[in-house]
Amino acid sequence: MPRIKIKRTAPSVDMTAMSDVTFLLLNFFVMTAVFKTPEPIPIDVPASVVTEKMPDENFAMITVSNDGKCLLSFAERDVKQQTLDIMIEKYNIRLTPEEKEKFLALETLGVPIRQLKQFLSLSTDKYLDKSFNPGIAVDTTTNMSNELFNWISTARKVNYGLHDNQLKILIKADGNVKFPAVSQVIETLRNQKANKFSFITSLKSEA
């Protein structure tokens, strides 16, 4: 008897389920992604091998640009708001409720406090313009002239009063900045006994 030939067919895989899973994963990564906040002055941080993660809350970050300008940002809105109220009273600055809301919407503060009202009157597209962010006044004293000292000192007291813990201090300095500019920031912190702080760096690649 002749042998019965079985018709061979190519195997097929239903990719519908795989497509659904891929689409769900894509949605998940898009919804959970944390986008980098635009900065008025781009900072090229130095590399290191330290892998400690940057905190997500309860911190103030001092940014030092390559030309020595100091900028400041706060993680907590309530700390930022109360710190502003104390600072404008200390420096005798008058801000409207609308101007205060604009300040709270800022990601980074980069102007002397006496220029703050004028800065907030600008259109929002200029907030990230480097030319309109001359930096916060800083020196090695504890006087009113050292505005960075007063911003940090006030924020630390406010944070402790609101959250009952110490404010974490981060320094994000450009890799090309000259040491005296960073030294002023460190001295400002030491003058208020804030001796524990961290530097923001990028991860050095293994090569």
Side-chain angles (χ1 to χ4, degrees):
M1 293 180 62
R3 183 179 296 177
I4 299 175
K5 293 183 179 181
I6 300 174
K7 186 177 180 181
R8 294 183 179 181
T9 58
S12 62
V13 179
D14 187 358
M15 297 296 293
T16 304
M18 183 65 73
S19 299
D20 290 342
V21 171
T22 303
F23 182 72
L24 289 173
L25 285 174
L26 181 61
N27 273 340
F28 171 78
F29 288 124
V30 169
M31 297 297 290
T32 59
V34 178
F35 296 97
K36 184 178 179 181
T37 304
E39 298 176 313
I41 302 176
I43 304 296
D44 183 17
V45 296
S48 76
V49 295
V50 179
T51 57
E52 184 177 349
K53 186 180 178 182
M54 177 178 165
D56 297 321
E57 57 185 8
N58 187 39
F59 69 83
M61 183 164 66
I62 304 167
T63 300
V64 187
S65 67
N66 59 357
D67 55 357
K69 294 179 180 178
C70 283
L71 300 90
L72 183 62
S73 57
F74 299 101
E76 309 300 335
R77 181 184 172 92
D78 56 352
V79 174
K80 187 176 182 180
Q81 182 172 10
Q82 196 165 322
T83 300
L84 173 67
D85 291 338
I86 295 172
M87 285 292 290
I88 60 176
E89 183 177 354
K90 177 179 294 205
Y91 284 86
N92 195 27
I93 307 295
R94 297 285 181 266
L95 294 181
T96 65
E98 292 77 16
E99 290 169 334
K100 290 182 179 180
E101 280 301 317
K102 287 183 179 180
F103 174 85
L104 294 175
L106 291 176
E107 292 292 340
T108 306
L109 171 66
V111 295
I113 193 166
R114 300 198 186 281
Q115 297 180 23
L116 183 58
K117 190 176 183 70
Q118 180 182 359
F119 177 80
L120 294 173
S121 67
L122 299 172
S123 57
T124 54
D125 61 302
K126 293 181 180 178
Y127 288 172
L128 295 176
D129 190 325
K130 182 179 180 179
S131 61
F132 291 100
N133 287 270
I136 299 172
V138 56
D139 53 44
T140 58
T141 72
T142 60
N143 302 327
M144 296 282 281
S145 60
N146 191 348
E147 295 178 13
L148 182 64
F149 176 92
N150 289 292
W151 276 111
I152 295 294
S153 176
T154 303
R156 293 178 69 209
K157 294 174 184 176
V158 168
N159 189 79
Y160 195 83
L162 292 175
H163 302 290
D164 195 26
N165 55 27
Q166 295 294 334
L167 183 69
K168 300 181 184 73
I169 307 296
L170 309 177
I171 300 176
K172 184 179 180 181
D174 193 280
N176 297 315
V177 67
K178 294 183 179 179
F179 179 73
V182 180
S183 178
Q184 280 191 330
V185 173
I186 295 175
E187 190 66 21
T188 292
L189 297 177
R190 291 178 60 188
N191 285 340
Q192 52 186 280
K193 295 181 171 58
N195 296 313
K196 187 176 181 180
F197 48 85
S198 302
F199 280 93
I200 302 297
T201 58
S202 62
L203 186 63
K204 182 183 292 184
S205 60
E206 296 181 2

